Amino acid sequence: MDFGGQSIPVGGLAYYISPPSSFSDIWEDPIHALIYVFFVLGSCALFSKTWIEVSGSSPRDVAKQLRDQQMMFKGHRESSLLHVLDMYIP
């Protein structure tokens, strides 16, 4: 089998975080596929959480921006604004 000069991991951590090369690989080694999927989803979740904190889009930052603009949620007190935003912004 020719891999075009690429290095293909055959064991260890590098093997499990590399994508399966074909659908038949998923059938032959489902543990590898599951670990890879969990790795990708976990990496995306960690990146998105970090991005929200760094970009100023956290619930606390949004609540401060709304207070500075004197905007309110209808039916909610100003003190409960952070709790309401926590439900919608992770």
Side-chain angles (χ1 to χ4, degrees), residues 44-54 89-90:
C44 290
L46 182 65
F47 178 74
S48 67
K49 187 70 172 168
T50 303
W51 184 260
I52 286 172
E53 294 298 323
V54 171
I89 302 173

Side-chain angles (χ1 to χ4, degrees), residues 56-67 73 81 85 89:
S57 301
S58 69
R60 181 171 287 123
D61 296 332
V62 172
K64 182 181 180 308
Q65 291 169 0
L66 290 174
R67 267 189 250 111
F73 280 140
L81 183 60
L85 290 173
I89 302 173

Side-chain angles (χ1 to χ4, degrees), residues 10-74:
V10 293
L13 182 63
Y15 172 74
Y16 286 106
I17 63 172
S18 64
S21 58
S22 66
F23 284 112
S24 64
D25 284 350
I26 295 171
W27 183 257
E28 293 169 4
D29 192 4
I31 301 297
H32 174 207
L34 286 174
I35 291 174
Y36 174 72
V37 167
F38 286 130
F39 170 73
V40 169
L41 292 177
S43 298
C44 290
L46 182 65
F47 178 74
S48 67
K49 187 70 172 168
T50 303
W51 184 260
I52 286 172
E53 294 298 323
V54 171
S55 69
S57 301
S58 69
R60 181 171 287 123
D61 296 332
V62 172
K64 182 181 180 308
Q65 291 169 0
L66 290 174
R67 267 189 250 111
D68 291 346
Q69 296 174 5
Q70 297 177 347
M71 295 179 73
M72 302 290 267
F73 280 140
K74 189 174 183 178

